[in-house]
Amino acid sequence: MRPARIPASGVRQTIAVVLPAQLPSPPAWNEGPLPFHHGTRRADRPTRRTYFTTAAARVLYGEPERPCRWHRTTTATHSPLAAHGVELLHTPLGNDPHRALAILHLSATGPGLHDFHDTLRSLARRQAAPPTPLTGELDPEQLLQDQAHITPGAPPFTVAFLTPTRARLMHLYPRKYRRSWNPADQWLWALASRTNTADYPPDSTDIPALTSGTLRLSADWSALVLRDGAAFIGRRRDLGQDDPFFGYAELHARTVYLDAFLLGMIQRSHIDQLTENLSRVFDGTHLARRVVALEQHIAQFRSTYWRQHLTHHGPANDLLLAYQNQHRLPARFAEILTEATDYARLVQSQESQQISGALGILTILGLPISTALAAQQVLADDNPWHLLAYTGAALATTAALLTTRYGRLVLSALRGHPRQR
C-alpha cells in the first residue's frame, strides 16, 4: 500500500533524461555542452575539459574543428516539470553513423517528494505510474526542433538530484523495511530504480545487497547508480540559495557527473556492437579479413573510448565504474578480447595449414617433374616428344600421389573450410 502523502518537498529536484536518438547532420545550435553556473563557478566546455583526461574530453566534447556536442536553452514547461535546456551528443557507431544521445535538463518545483518520485516512475513507464510528463511543450521531438529524432521505444536513463527541506527525509517504504533501511537510502534506491512497492517490492533480506553500491560522496550527500537510472540525495537539510555546499553539488551532478554516465553509455554501445560483430564472425566468407577488421575495431575502441580513469577527481571515476559494473562492461570486454584472440589464433592456424599445403603441393608436383628432367639430361635425350612423355609420366605420378592419404591431407589443408577463406 502506498504511504500517505506528506507535505515535505525538495529544495532541489532536478532530472536529466538521456534518450538515444538519430542525428543526421550537425544541429544549428550552440557548440559544446549546456553550461551551468553557481556563484562564480561556470561549468562550460573549457572548464569541463580541464576536469577530464584529454581522451575522455575528446569523446565528450569533440575538438574545435570537429565538435560532437551541441546545446540550446529553453523555458518549456509541462506540470510539474520545466526544461532548462537540451543537448545532443553525437556518438557514431560503425553500423549506425547517425547515433546520438539527447539529454533533457529538467527540474520540478513545488510538488511534494512523492510527486517527484512518481514523475520518475512515469519517465520509466511503470505500469501504474501517472502519464508521462514529456508531452506538450516537453515532448522530446518538439524540444529537438527536428534537428534529431528520438529512437522509438528506447527506455530513458535518468539522473535525479534531490535535497530535502527538512533535517532528514521521511520514510518512503512500509514499516517492515525500516529496521534495515534508513530513509535517505530508501529514497536513493527509489529514485535510482524509479520504482515503488507496487512496481517492485524488495525482499527485506536483500536490502544490504540492493544498496551495496551506494557511493558516500561526503557526509552531506550520496549517490546510487543502477542499470537504467542514477540518483543523488542530500542527507541533511538544504538551506536553499544560501547553502554553502548543495549549490556546488547540484552543479557537479548536472555537469561532470552526468558526463561520466554519458561516457559509460558510449562505451556500452560500442561493446554491444563488438559483441554483435563477434556473433557474426563465421557468417559468409573471408574469415581472416573479418577477424582483422574486428581486431582493428577493438584496438580503436580501447584507445579512444575504453577509459576507467576519467579524472584526478575521485567521484567521477567512481560513478563511471559503478555504471560499468551495473552493465558488466569490464567482464564483457574481457570476454570480447578472449574471443577475438581465439579467432585470431584460428586464422593463424588455417593460414599455417594452407602454407603447409602449398609446400606439399610443390613437393608432390616438383619431385616427379624434376626426376623426369634429370633422367632426360642423364640420357642426353633431346627429342621433344620424349620430353612430353617424361612430363606426362611425371604428372600421372603426381595425380597418383594426390589420391593417397598424404595427398588428400595436402589438398584439404590448401583448400581450407570453404566458408572460412
Side-chain angles (χ1 to χ4, degrees):
M1 180 180 296
R2 176 172 169 166
R5 289 183 177 271
I6 52 178
S9 62
V11 177
R12 304 171 202 271
Q13 299 179 119
T14 69
I15 306 172
V17 181
V18 184
L19 290 160
Q22 290 290 301
L23 181 64
S25 60
W29 293 357
N30 297 317
E31 293 183 4
L34 184 69
F36 288 89
H37 64 87
H38 177 72
T40 59
R41 185 174 300 178
R42 179 178 172 85
D44 52 13
R45 179 169 58 180
T47 304
R48 293 198 215 181
R49 291 188 72 94
T50 63
Y51 189 89
F52 293 106
T53 63
T54 302
R58 188 182 302 116
V59 173
L60 291 168
Y61 313 120
E63 298 289 355
E65 65 278 4
R66 294 183 62 185
C68 68
R69 195 163 174 177
W70 301 265
H71 74 272
R72 78 175 187 93
T73 58
T74 180
T75 57
T77 60
H78 184 82
S79 180
L81 295 178
H84 303 285
V86 188
E87 297 183 63
L88 282 168
L89 173 60
H90 190 207
T91 60
L93 295 173
N95 60 356
D96 190 3
H98 302 308
R99 188 181 187 278
L101 294 173
I103 305 103
L104 316 181
H105 292 273
L106 312 172
S107 65
T109 56
L113 297 182
H114 286 89
D115 298 294
F116 185 63
H117 180 212
D118 282 342
T119 298
L120 284 164
R121 292 179 57 242
S122 66
L123 291 172
R125 304 169 189 169
R126 302 302 179 198
Q127 186 173 1
T132 177
L134 298 184
T135 57
E137 292 186 16
L138 293 188
D139 187 313
E141 293 290 347
Q142 184 169 332
L143 290 173
L144 293 176
Q145 299 180 325
D146 291 329
Q147 301 294 316
H149 299 283
I150 301 300
T151 303
F157 185 91
T158 57
V159 181
F161 180 80
L162 170 67
T163 58
T165 56
R166 299 182 174 184
R168 56 175 295 182
L169 290 162
M170 304 295 290
H171 283 281
L172 174 64
Y173 283 90
R175 186 176 301 275
K176 67 177 182 178
Y177 294 103
R178 296 183 182 181
R179 288 187 178 181
S180 56
W181 218 357
N182 66 64
D185 286 343
Q186 288 182 16
W187 280 95
L188 195 60
W189 163 260
L191 299 184
S193 65
R194 295 99 53 98
T195 62
N196 62 10
T197 51
D199 305 319
Y200 173 75
D203 188 332
S204 57
T205 61
D206 289 340
I207 299 304
L210 292 178
T211 57
S212 62
T214 300
L215 301 175
R216 308 290 178 178
L217 301 177
S218 74
D220 291 337
W221 67 324
S222 300
L224 179 63
V225 184
L226 301 179
R227 286 185 58 83
D228 298 313
F232 297 87
I233 287 285
R235 306 185 75 89
R236 62 164 175 82
R237 179 186 176 189
D238 187 345
L239 302 178
Q241 295 298 321
D242 297 328
D243 194 285
F245 174 79
F246 279 130
Y248 292 106
E250 179 185 359
L251 180 71
H252 280 76
R254 303 188 81 165
T255 57
V256 290
Y257 294 170
L258 171 63
D259 289 345
F261 297 132
L262 296 178
L263 182 61
M265 295 174 205
I266 296 171
Q267 293 174 344
R268 179 189 172 192
S269 65
H270 279 271
I271 287 179
D272 287 344
Q273 185 184 38
L274 284 170
T275 302
E276 181 180 353
N277 292 345
L278 280 170
S279 69
R280 297 177 180 272
V281 74
F282 290 109
D283 294 350
T285 58
H286 306 295
L287 175 63
R289 190 177 304 170
R290 290 197 305 279
V291 169
V292 170
L294 182 64
E295 289 180 322
Q296 290 176 344
H297 188 179
I298 291 173
Q300 181 184 15
F301 167 72
R302 176 181 263 172
S303 65
T304 306
Y305 300 103
W306 186 240
R307 292 288 178 270
Q308 294 178 288
H309 179 77
L310 286 175
T311 172
H312 299 297
H313 308 276
N317 295 325
D318 296 337
L319 293 167
L320 175 62
L321 288 173
Y323 181 89
Q324 290 177 343
N325 291 332
Q326 283 292 321
H327 293 273
R328 296 186 61 253
L329 297 188
R332 290 180 61 192
F333 188 49
E335 292 171 359
I336 287 171
L337 293 176
T338 300
E339 279 194 63
T341 301
D342 291 341
Y343 295 152
R345 189 181 300 114
L346 175 62
V347 169
Q348 291 175 355
S349 177
Q350 289 182 351
E351 290 177 345
S352 297
Q353 290 178 357
Q354 291 175 350
I355 292 173
S356 298
L359 293 175
I361 289 291
L362 290 176
T363 300
I364 293 175
L365 286 172
L367 182 59
I369 293 176
S370 62
T371 302
L373 293 175
Q376 184 187 28
Q377 289 180 351
V378 169
L379 297 175
D381 188 354
D382 295 333
N383 190 323
W385 296 105
H386 292 173
L387 177 60
L388 289 176
Y390 295 150
T391 303
L395 292 175
T397 303
T398 299
L401 289 173
L402 291 175
T403 61
T404 64
R405 180 175 179 274
Y406 173 73
R408 291 194 299 272
L409 288 174
V410 168
L411 289 176
S412 177
L414 182 64
R415 184 170 57 249
H417 194 284
R419 292 184 60 80
Q420 297 179 8
R421 286 178 294 177

